[in-house]
Amino acid sequence: MTTLLHIDASARPGRSGIDPHGSHSRRLSARFVEQWQKARPGDRILYRDVGQHPPHPVSGEWIHAAFTKPEAREPWMHDVLAESDALVDELLEADVIVAGVPMYNFGVPAGFKAYIDNIVRVGRTFGFDRSRQGLPYWPMLTEMHKRLVVLGSRGDYGYAPGERMAHTNHVEPHIRTVFGYLGVEDVHGIAVEYDEFGDERLQASLAQAEQDIDALVMAWAKNFEEDLVDA
């Protein structure tokens, strides 16, 4: 059985096409999960809404606790790290991560940034040893062969590689960098553009994104476990 972790990061609570002023990224992530469940109804789905319920931001106490060896942690440190531990546990369980992440001011929403800061954990998702030859850091998720799809939305257009606004896109590149650092290298991105225009170009972009999602689900869902064995 495959486990899919569904994350939403939009501040908008509803889905476009259903709710007034609903979120395009929530619409896309929901479509991915719904299509996945049609193809693989026996799989497990975990859900985390960091848009409506953002994780606590990293604090000085959090840093102190996270960089203290587990066997030396005091009780208050375990309490400070409890939310982070739950988020990491979900990530470790997931074979597929589906993240609905809209672009806010050229980057990720604050709730998703807090999520990232909580899952980048020394000793749990990346290793560190000052005495290690070469780089002292290494990813801890590489052998798990996880897959990540980032489903986004953008007010303007032309943010894909090589296009007019590519240099200002700090969403997918940031997410790829962070998850790659942890060892998740199979990353795909699908996004809706033209949101601020609200015309036929937006509708065409939505239709294309949904078509791309359906194709990706079909490609990933078929013989998923066999793909992991071969990887």
Coordinates of all heavy atoms in Angstrom, one line a residue, residues 8-100:
D8 N -1.8 21.3 1.7 CA -2.3 22.6 1.1 C -1.8 23.8 1.9 O -1.7 23.7 3.1 CB -3.9 22.6 1.2 CG -4.6 21.9 0.1 OD1 -4.0 21.9 -1.1 OD2 -5.6 21.3 0.3
A9 N -1.3 24.8 1.1 CA -0.7 25.9 1.7 C -1.4 27.3 1.4 O -1.0 28.3 2.0 CB 0.8 26.0 1.2
S10 N -2.5 27.2 0.7 CA -3.2 28.5 0.3 C -3.9 29.1 1.5 O -4.5 28.3 2.3 CB -4.2 28.2 -0.8 OG -4.9 29.4 -1.1
A11 N -3.9 30.4 1.6 CA -4.6 31.1 2.7 C -6.1 31.0 2.4 O -7.0 31.2 3.3 CB -4.2 32.5 2.8
R12 N -6.5 30.8 1.1 CA -7.9 30.7 0.7 C -8.4 29.3 1.1 O -7.8 28.3 0.8 CB -8.0 30.9 -0.8 CG -7.6 32.3 -1.3 CD -7.8 32.4 -2.8 NE -7.5 33.7 -3.3 CZ -7.7 34.1 -4.5 NH1 -8.2 33.2 -5.4 NH2 -7.4 35.3 -4.9
P13 N -9.6 29.3 1.8 CA -10.1 28.0 2.3 C -10.8 27.1 1.3 O -10.8 25.9 1.5 CB -11.0 28.4 3.4 CG -11.5 29.8 3.0 CD -10.4 30.4 2.3
G14 N -11.3 27.7 0.3 CA -12.1 26.9 -0.7 C -11.3 26.6 -2.0 O -10.2 26.9 -2.1
R15 N -12.0 25.9 -2.9 CA -11.5 25.6 -4.2 C -12.1 26.4 -5.3 O -13.3 26.6 -5.3 CB -11.7 24.1 -4.5 CG -11.2 23.1 -3.5 CD -11.6 21.7 -4.0 NE -11.5 20.7 -2.9 CZ -11.9 19.5 -3.0 NH1 -12.4 19.1 -4.2 NH2 -11.8 18.7 -2.0
S16 N -11.3 26.9 -6.2 CA -11.8 27.6 -7.4 C -12.7 26.6 -8.2 O -12.5 25.4 -8.2 CB -10.7 28.1 -8.2 OG -10.0 27.1 -8.9
G17 N -13.7 27.2 -8.8 CA -14.7 26.4 -9.5 C -15.8 25.8 -8.7 O -16.8 25.4 -9.2
I18 N -15.6 25.9 -7.4 CA -16.7 25.4 -6.4 C -17.1 26.5 -5.5 O -18.2 26.8 -5.3 CB -16.2 24.2 -5.6 CG1 -15.8 23.0 -6.6 CG2 -17.2 23.7 -4.6 CD1 -15.3 21.8 -5.9
D19 N -16.1 27.1 -4.8 CA -16.3 28.1 -3.8 C -15.9 29.5 -4.3 O -15.0 29.7 -5.1 CB -15.5 27.9 -2.6 CG -15.7 26.5 -2.0 OD1 -16.8 26.3 -1.5 OD2 -14.8 25.6 -2.1
P20 N -16.7 30.6 -4.0 CA -16.4 31.9 -4.4 C -15.0 32.3 -3.8 O -14.7 32.1 -2.7 CB -17.5 32.8 -3.7 CG -18.6 31.9 -3.5 CD -18.0 30.5 -3.2
H21 N -14.2 32.9 -4.7 CA -12.8 33.3 -4.4 C -12.0 32.1 -3.9 O -11.0 32.2 -3.1 CB -12.8 34.4 -3.3 CG -13.7 35.5 -3.6 ND1 -13.5 36.4 -4.7 CD2 -14.9 35.9 -3.0 CE1 -14.5 37.3 -4.7 NE2 -15.3 37.0 -3.7
G22 N -12.3 30.9 -4.4 CA -11.6 29.7 -3.9 C -10.2 29.6 -4.5 O -9.8 30.3 -5.5
S23 N -9.4 28.7 -4.0 CA -8.0 28.6 -4.3 C -7.8 27.7 -5.5 O -8.3 26.6 -5.6 CB -7.2 28.0 -3.1 OG -6.0 27.5 -3.4
H24 N -6.9 28.1 -6.4 CA -6.6 27.3 -7.6 C -5.7 26.1 -7.1 O -5.8 25.0 -7.6 CB -5.9 28.1 -8.7 CG -6.7 29.2 -9.3 ND1 -8.0 29.0 -9.6 CD2 -6.4 30.5 -9.5 CE1 -8.5 30.1 -10.1 NE2 -7.6 31.0 -10.1
S25 N -4.7 26.4 -6.2 CA -3.8 25.4 -5.8 C -4.5 24.3 -5.1 O -4.2 23.1 -5.2 CB -2.6 25.9 -5.0 OG -3.1 26.5 -3.8
R26 N -5.5 24.6 -4.2 CA -6.3 23.6 -3.6 C -7.2 22.8 -4.6 O -7.3 21.6 -4.4 CB -7.3 24.2 -2.5 CG -6.6 24.8 -1.3 CD -7.6 25.4 -0.3 NE -6.9 26.0 0.8 CZ -6.5 25.4 1.9 NH1 -6.9 24.1 2.1 NH2 -5.9 26.0 2.9
R27 N -7.6 23.5 -5.6 CA -8.4 22.8 -6.7 C -7.5 21.7 -7.3 O -7.9 20.6 -7.6 CB -8.9 23.8 -7.7 CG -9.5 23.2 -9.0 CD -10.0 24.3 -9.8 NE -10.5 23.9 -11.1 CZ -11.1 24.6 -12.0 NH1 -11.5 25.9 -11.6 NH2 -11.5 24.2 -13.2
L28 N -6.2 22.1 -7.6 CA -5.3 21.2 -8.3 C -4.9 20.0 -7.4 O -4.8 18.9 -7.8 CB -4.1 21.9 -8.8 CG -4.3 23.1 -9.8 CD1 -2.9 23.6 -10.3 CD2 -5.1 22.6 -11.0
S29 N -4.6 20.3 -6.1 CA -4.1 19.3 -5.2 C -5.3 18.3 -5.0 O -5.1 17.1 -4.9 CB -3.6 19.8 -3.9 OG -4.6 20.4 -3.2
A30 N -6.5 18.8 -4.9 CA -7.7 17.9 -4.7 C -7.9 17.0 -5.9 O -8.2 15.9 -5.8 CB -8.9 18.8 -4.4
R31 N -7.7 17.6 -7.1 CA -7.9 16.8 -8.3 C -6.9 15.7 -8.3 O -7.2 14.5 -8.7 CB -7.7 17.7 -9.5 CG -8.0 16.9 -10.8 CD -7.9 17.8 -12.0 NE -8.3 17.0 -13.2 CZ -9.5 17.0 -13.8 NH1 -10.5 17.7 -13.2 NH2 -9.8 16.3 -14.9
F32 N -5.6 16.0 -8.0 CA -4.6 15.0 -8.0 C -5.0 13.8 -7.1 O -4.9 12.6 -7.4 CB -3.2 15.5 -7.6 CG -2.1 14.6 -7.7 CD1 -1.2 14.7 -8.8 CD2 -1.9 13.5 -6.9 CE1 -0.1 13.8 -9.0 CE2 -0.8 12.6 -7.0 CZ 0.1 12.8 -8.1
V33 N -5.4 14.2 -5.8 CA -5.7 13.1 -4.9 C -6.9 12.3 -5.3 O -7.0 11.1 -5.2 CB -5.9 13.8 -3.5 CG1 -6.4 12.7 -2.5 CG2 -4.6 14.4 -3.0
E34 N -7.9 13.0 -5.8 CA -9.1 12.3 -6.3 C -8.8 11.4 -7.4 O -9.4 10.3 -7.5 CB -10.2 13.4 -6.7 CG -10.8 14.1 -5.5 CD -11.5 15.4 -5.9 OE1 -11.6 15.7 -7.2 OE2 -12.0 16.1 -5.0
Q35 N -8.0 11.8 -8.4 CA -7.6 10.9 -9.5 C -6.8 9.8 -9.0 O -6.9 8.6 -9.5 CB -6.9 11.7 -10.5 CG -7.7 12.8 -11.3 CD -8.9 12.2 -12.0 OE1 -10.0 12.3 -11.6 NE2 -8.6 11.6 -13.2
W36 N -5.9 10.0 -8.0 CA -5.1 9.0 -7.5 C -6.0 7.9 -6.8 O -5.8 6.7 -6.9 CB -4.1 9.5 -6.5 CG -3.1 8.5 -6.0 CD1 -3.3 7.6 -4.9 CD2 -1.8 8.3 -6.5 NE1 -2.2 6.9 -4.8 CE2 -1.2 7.2 -5.7 CE3 -1.1 8.9 -7.5 CZ2 0.0 6.8 -6.0 CZ3 0.2 8.4 -7.8 CH2 0.8 7.3 -7.0
Q37 N -7.0 8.4 -6.0 CA -7.9 7.4 -5.3 C -8.7 6.6 -6.3 O -9.0 5.5 -6.0 CB -8.8 8.2 -4.4 CG -8.0 8.7 -3.1 CD -8.9 9.5 -2.2 OE1 -9.6 10.5 -2.6 NE2 -8.9 9.1 -0.9
K38 N -9.0 7.2 -7.4 CA -9.8 6.4 -8.4 C -8.9 5.3 -9.0 O -9.3 4.2 -9.2 CB -10.2 7.4 -9.6 CG -11.4 8.3 -9.2 CD -11.7 9.2 -10.4 CE -12.8 10.2 -10.1 NZ -13.1 11.0 -11.2
A39 N -7.6 5.6 -9.2 CA -6.7 4.7 -9.8 C -6.2 3.7 -8.7 O -6.0 2.5 -9.1 CB -5.5 5.4 -10.4
R40 N -6.1 4.1 -7.5 CA -5.6 3.3 -6.4 C -6.4 3.4 -5.1 O -5.9 4.1 -4.2 CB -4.1 3.6 -6.2 CG -3.2 3.4 -7.4 CD -1.8 3.9 -7.0 NE -1.2 3.1 -6.0 CZ -0.5 2.0 -6.1 NH1 -0.3 1.5 -7.3 NH2 0.0 1.4 -5.0
P41 N -7.6 2.9 -5.1 CA -8.5 3.2 -4.0 C -8.0 2.6 -2.7 O -8.5 3.0 -1.6 CB -9.8 2.5 -4.4 CG -9.4 1.5 -5.5 CD -8.2 2.1 -6.2
G42 N -7.1 1.7 -2.7 CA -6.7 1.1 -1.4 C -5.5 1.8 -0.7 O -5.1 1.5 0.4
D43 N -5.0 2.9 -1.4 CA -3.9 3.6 -0.8 C -4.3 4.5 0.4 O -5.5 4.9 0.5 CB -3.2 4.4 -1.9 CG -2.3 3.6 -2.8 OD1 -2.2 2.4 -2.5 OD2 -1.9 4.1 -3.8
R44 N -3.3 4.8 1.2 CA -3.6 5.7 2.4 C -3.3 7.1 2.1 O -2.3 7.4 1.4 CB -2.6 5.2 3.5 CG -2.8 5.9 4.8 CD -1.7 5.4 5.8 NE -1.7 6.1 7.1 CZ -0.7 6.3 7.8 NH1 0.5 5.8 7.5 NH2 -0.8 6.9 9.0
I45 N -4.2 8.0 2.5 CA -4.0 9.4 2.3 C -3.9 10.1 3.7 O -4.7 10.0 4.6 CB -5.3 10.0 1.6 CG1 -5.6 9.2 0.3 CG2 -5.0 11.5 1.3 CD1 -4.6 9.3 -0.8
L46 N -2.8 10.9 3.8 CA -2.6 11.8 4.9 C -2.8 13.2 4.5 O -2.5 13.6 3.3 CB -1.2 11.7 5.5 CG -0.7 10.3 5.9 CD1 0.8 10.3 6.3 CD2 -1.5 9.7 7.0
Y47 N -3.4 14.0 5.3 CA -3.7 15.4 4.9 C -3.2 16.4 5.9 O -3.3 16.2 7.2 CB -5.2 15.6 4.8 CG -5.5 17.0 4.3 CD1 -5.1 17.5 3.0 CD2 -6.3 17.9 5.1 CE1 -5.4 18.7 2.5 CE2 -6.6 19.2 4.6 CZ -6.1 19.6 3.3 OH -6.4 20.9 2.9
R48 N -2.6 17.5 5.4 CA -2.0 18.5 6.3 C -2.3 19.9 5.6 O -1.9 20.1 4.5 CB -0.5 18.3 6.5 CG 0.2 19.4 7.3 CD -0.2 19.4 8.8 NE 0.2 18.2 9.4 CZ 0.1 18.0 10.8 NH1 -0.3 19.0 11.5 NH2 0.5 16.9 11.3
D49 N -3.1 20.7 6.3 CA -3.4 22.1 5.8 C -2.6 23.1 6.5 O -2.9 23.6 7.6 CB -4.9 22.3 6.0 CG -5.4 23.6 5.3 OD1 -4.6 24.4 5.0 OD2 -6.6 23.6 5.0
V50 N -1.5 23.5 5.9 CA -0.6 24.5 6.5 C -1.0 25.9 6.2 O -0.4 26.9 6.6 CB 0.9 24.2 6.2 CG1 1.3 22.8 6.6 CG2 1.2 24.4 4.7
G51 N -2.0 26.0 5.3 CA -2.5 27.3 5.0 C -3.5 27.8 6.0 O -3.4 29.0 6.5
Q52 N -4.4 26.9 6.4 CA -5.4 27.3 7.5 C -4.8 27.0 8.9 O -5.2 27.7 9.8 CB -6.6 26.4 7.3 CG -7.4 26.8 6.0 CD -7.9 28.2 6.0 OE1 -8.7 28.6 6.8 NE2 -7.4 29.0 5.0
H53 N -3.9 26.1 9.0 CA -3.3 25.7 10.3 C -1.8 25.7 10.2 O -1.2 24.6 10.2 CB -3.9 24.4 10.8 CG -5.4 24.4 10.8 ND1 -6.1 25.0 11.8 CD2 -6.3 23.8 10.0 CE1 -7.4 24.8 11.5 NE2 -7.5 24.1 10.4
P54 N -1.1 26.8 10.1 CA 0.3 26.8 9.9 C 1.1 26.3 11.1 O 0.6 26.5 12.2 CB 0.6 28.3 9.6 CG -0.5 29.0 10.3 CD -1.7 28.2 10.1
P55 N 2.2 25.6 10.9 CA 3.0 25.1 12.0 C 3.6 26.4 12.7 O 3.7 27.4 12.1 CB 4.1 24.3 11.3 CG 3.6 24.0 10.0 CD 2.7 25.1 9.6
H56 N 4.0 26.2 14.0 CA 4.6 27.2 14.7 C 6.0 27.5 14.0 O 6.7 26.6 13.6 CB 4.9 26.8 16.1 CG 3.6 26.8 16.9 ND1 2.8 25.7 17.0 CD2 3.0 27.7 17.7 CE1 1.8 25.9 17.8 NE2 1.8 27.1 18.2
P57 N 6.3 28.8 13.9 CA 7.6 29.1 13.3 C 8.8 28.7 14.3 O 8.6 28.5 15.5 CB 7.6 30.6 13.2 CG 6.6 31.1 14.2 CD 5.6 30.0 14.3
V58 N 9.9 28.5 13.7 CA 11.1 28.1 14.5 C 11.5 29.2 15.5 O 11.5 30.4 15.1 CB 12.3 27.8 13.5 CG1 13.6 27.8 14.3 CG2 12.0 26.5 12.8
S59 N 11.8 28.8 16.7 CA 12.1 29.7 17.7 C 13.5 29.4 18.3 O 14.1 28.4 17.9 CB 11.1 29.6 18.9 OG 11.2 28.4 19.5
G60 N 14.0 30.2 19.1 CA 15.3 29.9 19.8 C 15.3 28.6 20.5 O 16.2 27.8 20.5
E61 N 14.2 28.4 21.2 CA 14.0 27.1 22.0 C 14.0 25.9 21.1 O 14.6 24.9 21.3 CB 12.8 27.2 22.8 CG 12.8 28.1 24.0 CD 11.6 28.1 24.9 OE1 10.5 27.7 24.3 OE2 11.7 28.4 26.1
W62 N 13.3 26.1 19.9 CA 13.2 25.0 18.9 C 14.6 24.7 18.4 O 15.0 23.5 18.4 CB 12.4 25.5 17.8 CG 12.0 24.4 16.8 CD1 10.9 23.7 16.7 CD2 12.9 23.9 15.7 NE1 10.9 22.9 15.6 CE2 12.1 23.0 15.0 CE3 14.1 24.2 15.2 CZ2 12.6 22.3 13.9 CZ3 14.7 23.6 14.1 CH2 13.9 22.6 13.4
I63 N 15.4 25.7 18.1 CA 16.8 25.4 17.6 C 17.6 24.7 18.7 O 18.4 23.8 18.4 CB 17.4 26.8 17.2 CG1 16.7 27.4 16.0 CG2 18.9 26.6 16.8 CD1 17.1 28.8 15.6
H64 N 17.5 25.2 19.9 CA 18.3 24.6 21.0 C 17.9 23.1 21.1 O 18.8 22.3 21.2 CB 18.0 25.4 22.3 CG 18.7 24.9 23.5 ND1 18.6 25.5 24.7 CD2 19.7 23.9 23.6 CE1 19.4 24.9 25.6 NE2 20.1 23.9 24.9
A65 N 16.6 22.8 21.1 CA 16.2 21.5 21.2 C 16.6 20.6 20.1 O 17.0 19.5 20.2 CB 14.6 21.4 21.4
A66 N 16.4 21.1 18.8 CA 16.7 20.3 17.6 C 18.1 19.9 17.5 O 18.5 18.9 17.0 CB 16.2 21.0 16.4
F67 N 19.0 20.8 18.0 CA 20.4 20.6 17.8 C 21.1 20.0 19.1 O 22.3 19.9 19.2 CB 21.2 21.9 17.4 CG 21.0 22.2 15.9 CD1 19.9 22.9 15.5 CD2 21.8 21.7 15.0 CE1 19.7 23.2 14.2 CE2 21.6 21.9 13.6 CZ 20.5 22.7 13.2
T68 N 20.2 19.6 20.0 CA 20.6 18.8 21.2 C 20.5 17.3 20.9 O 19.4 16.9 20.4 CB 19.8 19.2 22.4 OG1 20.0 20.6 22.7 CG2 20.3 18.3 23.6
K69 N 21.4 16.5 21.1 CA 21.3 15.1 20.8 C 20.1 14.5 21.6 O 19.8 14.9 22.7 CB 22.6 14.3 21.3 CG 23.8 14.7 20.4 CD 25.0 13.9 20.8 CE 26.2 14.2 19.9 NZ 27.4 13.5 20.3
P70 N 19.3 13.6 20.9 CA 18.1 13.1 21.5 C 18.3 12.6 22.9 O 17.4 12.8 23.8 CB 17.7 12.0 20.5 CG 18.2 12.5 19.2 CD 19.5 13.1 19.5
E71 N 19.3 11.9 23.2 CA 19.5 11.3 24.5 C 19.8 12.3 25.6 O 19.7 12.0 26.8 CB 20.6 10.2 24.5 CG 22.0 10.8 24.1 CD 22.3 10.8 22.6 OE1 21.3 10.7 21.8 OE2 23.5 10.9 22.2
A72 N 20.2 13.5 25.2 CA 20.5 14.6 26.1 C 19.3 15.6 26.3 O 19.5 16.6 27.1 CB 21.8 15.3 25.7
R73 N 18.2 15.4 25.6 CA 17.2 16.4 25.6 C 16.4 16.4 26.9 O 16.1 15.3 27.5 CB 16.2 16.2 24.5 CG 16.8 16.6 23.1 CD 15.8 16.3 22.0 NE 16.5 16.6 20.7 CZ 16.2 16.0 19.6 NH1 15.3 15.1 19.5 NH2 16.9 16.3 18.5
E74 N 16.1 17.5 27.4 CA 15.3 17.7 28.6 C 13.8 17.6 28.2 O 13.4 17.7 27.0 CB 15.5 19.0 29.2 CG 17.0 19.2 29.7 CD 17.3 20.6 30.2 OE1 16.3 21.2 30.7 OE2 18.4 21.0 30.2
P75 N 12.9 17.3 29.1 CA 11.5 17.1 28.8 C 10.9 18.3 28.0 O 10.1 18.1 27.1 CB 10.8 17.0 30.2 CG 11.9 16.4 31.0 CD 13.2 17.0 30.6
W76 N 11.2 19.5 28.3 CA 10.7 20.7 27.6 C 11.1 20.7 26.2 O 10.3 21.2 25.3 CB 11.1 22.0 28.3 CG 12.5 22.4 28.2 CD1 13.5 22.1 29.1 CD2 13.2 23.0 27.1 NE1 14.7 22.6 28.6 CE2 14.5 23.2 27.4 CE3 12.7 23.6 25.8 CZ2 15.5 23.8 26.5 CZ3 13.6 24.2 25.0 CH2 15.0 24.3 25.3
M77 N 12.3 20.1 25.9 CA 12.7 20.1 24.5 C 11.8 19.1 23.6 O 11.5 19.4 22.5 CB 14.2 19.6 24.4 CG 15.1 20.6 25.0 SD 16.8 19.9 24.9 CE 17.7 21.4 25.5
H78 N 11.4 18.0 24.2 CA 10.5 17.1 23.5 C 9.2 17.8 23.2 O 8.6 17.6 22.2 CB 10.3 15.8 24.3 CG 11.6 15.0 24.5 ND1 12.1 14.3 23.4 CD2 12.4 14.8 25.5 CE1 13.2 13.7 23.8 NE2 13.4 14.0 25.1
D79 N 8.7 18.6 24.2 CA 7.5 19.3 24.0 C 7.6 20.3 22.9 O 6.7 20.5 22.0 CB 7.1 20.1 25.3 CG 6.7 19.1 26.4 OD1 6.4 17.9 26.1 OD2 6.8 19.5 27.6
V80 N 8.7 21.1 22.8 CA 8.9 22.1 21.8 C 9.0 21.4 20.4 O 8.5 22.0 19.4 CB 10.2 22.8 22.1 CG1 10.7 23.7 20.9 CG2 10.1 23.7 23.3
L81 N 9.5 20.2 20.3 CA 9.7 19.6 19.0 C 8.5 18.6 18.6 O 8.6 18.0 17.6 CB 11.0 18.7 19.0 CG 12.3 19.5 19.2 CD1 13.5 18.6 19.3 CD2 12.5 20.4 18.0
A82 N 7.5 18.6 19.5 CA 6.4 17.6 19.2 C 5.8 17.8 17.9 O 5.5 16.9 17.1 CB 5.4 17.7 20.4
E83 N 5.4 19.1 17.6 CA 4.8 19.4 16.3 C 5.7 19.1 15.1 O 5.3 18.4 14.1 CB 4.4 20.9 16.2 CG 3.7 21.2 14.9 CD 3.3 22.7 14.9 OE1 4.1 23.6 15.3 OE2 2.1 23.0 14.5
S84 N 7.0 19.4 15.2 CA 7.9 19.1 14.2 C 8.1 17.6 14.0 O 8.1 17.1 12.9 CB 9.3 19.8 14.5 OG 10.3 19.4 13.6
D85 N 8.1 16.9 15.1 CA 8.2 15.4 15.0 C 7.1 14.8 14.3 O 7.2 13.9 13.5 CB 8.3 14.8 16.4 CG 9.7 15.0 17.0 OD1 10.7 15.1 16.3 OD2 9.8 15.0 18.3
A86 N 5.9 15.4 14.5 CA 4.7 14.8 13.8 C 4.7 15.1 12.3 O 4.4 14.2 11.5 CB 3.4 15.5 14.4
L87 N 5.2 16.3 12.0 CA 5.3 16.6 10.6 C 6.4 15.8 9.9 O 6.2 15.3 8.7 CB 5.7 18.1 10.4 CG 4.7 19.1 10.9 CD1 5.2 20.5 10.8 CD2 3.4 19.0 10.1
V88 N 7.5 15.5 10.6 CA 8.6 14.7 10.0 C 8.1 13.3 9.9 O 8.3 12.6 8.9 CB 9.8 14.7 10.9 CG1 10.8 13.7 10.4 CG2 10.5 16.1 10.8
D89 N 7.3 12.8 10.9 CA 6.8 11.4 10.8 C 5.9 11.2 9.6 O 6.0 10.2 8.9 CB 6.0 11.1 12.1 CG 6.9 10.9 13.3 OD1 8.1 10.7 13.2 OD2 6.3 11.0 14.4
E90 N 5.1 12.2 9.3 CA 4.2 12.1 8.1 C 5.0 12.1 6.8 O 4.7 11.3 5.9 CB 3.3 13.4 8.1 CG 2.2 13.4 9.1 CD 1.3 14.6 9.0 OE1 1.7 15.6 8.3 OE2 0.3 14.7 9.7
L91 N 6.0 12.9 6.8 CA 6.9 13.0 5.6 C 7.6 11.6 5.4 O 7.7 11.1 4.3 CB 7.9 14.1 5.7 CG 8.9 14.2 4.6 CD1 8.2 14.5 3.3 CD2 10.0 15.3 4.9
L92 N 8.1 11.0 6.5 CA 8.8 9.8 6.4 C 7.9 8.6 5.9 O 8.3 7.7 5.2 CB 9.4 9.4 7.7 CG 10.5 10.4 8.2 CD1 11.1 9.9 9.6 CD2 11.7 10.4 7.2
E93 N 6.6 8.7 6.3 CA 5.6 7.7 6.0 C 5.2 7.8 4.5 O 4.8 6.8 3.9 CB 4.4 7.8 6.8 CG 4.5 7.4 8.3 CD 3.2 7.6 9.0 OE1 2.2 7.1 8.6 OE2 3.2 8.3 10.1
A94 N 5.3 9.0 3.9 CA 4.8 9.2 2.6 C 5.7 8.7 1.5 O 6.9 8.9 1.5 CB 4.5 10.7 2.4
D95 N 5.0 8.1 0.5 CA 5.7 7.7 -0.7 C 5.6 8.8 -1.8 O 6.5 9.0 -2.6 CB 5.1 6.4 -1.3 CG 5.2 5.3 -0.3 OD1 6.4 4.9 0.0 OD2 4.2 4.8 0.2
V96 N 4.4 9.5 -1.8 CA 4.2 10.5 -2.7 C 3.7 11.8 -1.9 O 2.9 11.6 -1.0 CB 3.0 10.2 -3.7 CG1 2.7 11.3 -4.6 CG2 3.4 8.9 -4.5
I97 N 4.3 12.9 -2.2 CA 3.9 14.2 -1.5 C 3.3 15.1 -2.6 O 3.9 15.3 -3.6 CB 5.1 14.9 -0.9 CG1 5.9 14.0 0.1 CG2 4.7 16.2 -0.2 CD1 7.2 13.6 -0.4
V98 N 2.0 15.5 -2.3 CA 1.3 16.3 -3.2 C 1.1 17.7 -2.5 O 0.4 17.8 -1.5 CB -0.1 15.7 -3.5 CG1 -0.9 16.6 -4.5 CG2 0.1 14.3 -4.1
A99 N 1.8 18.7 -3.0 CA 1.8 20.0 -2.3 C 1.1 21.1 -3.1 O 1.6 21.4 -4.2 CB 3.2 20.4 -1.9
G100 N 0.0 21.6 -2.6 CA -0.6 22.7 -3.3 C 0.0 24.0 -2.7 O -0.3 24.4 -1.6

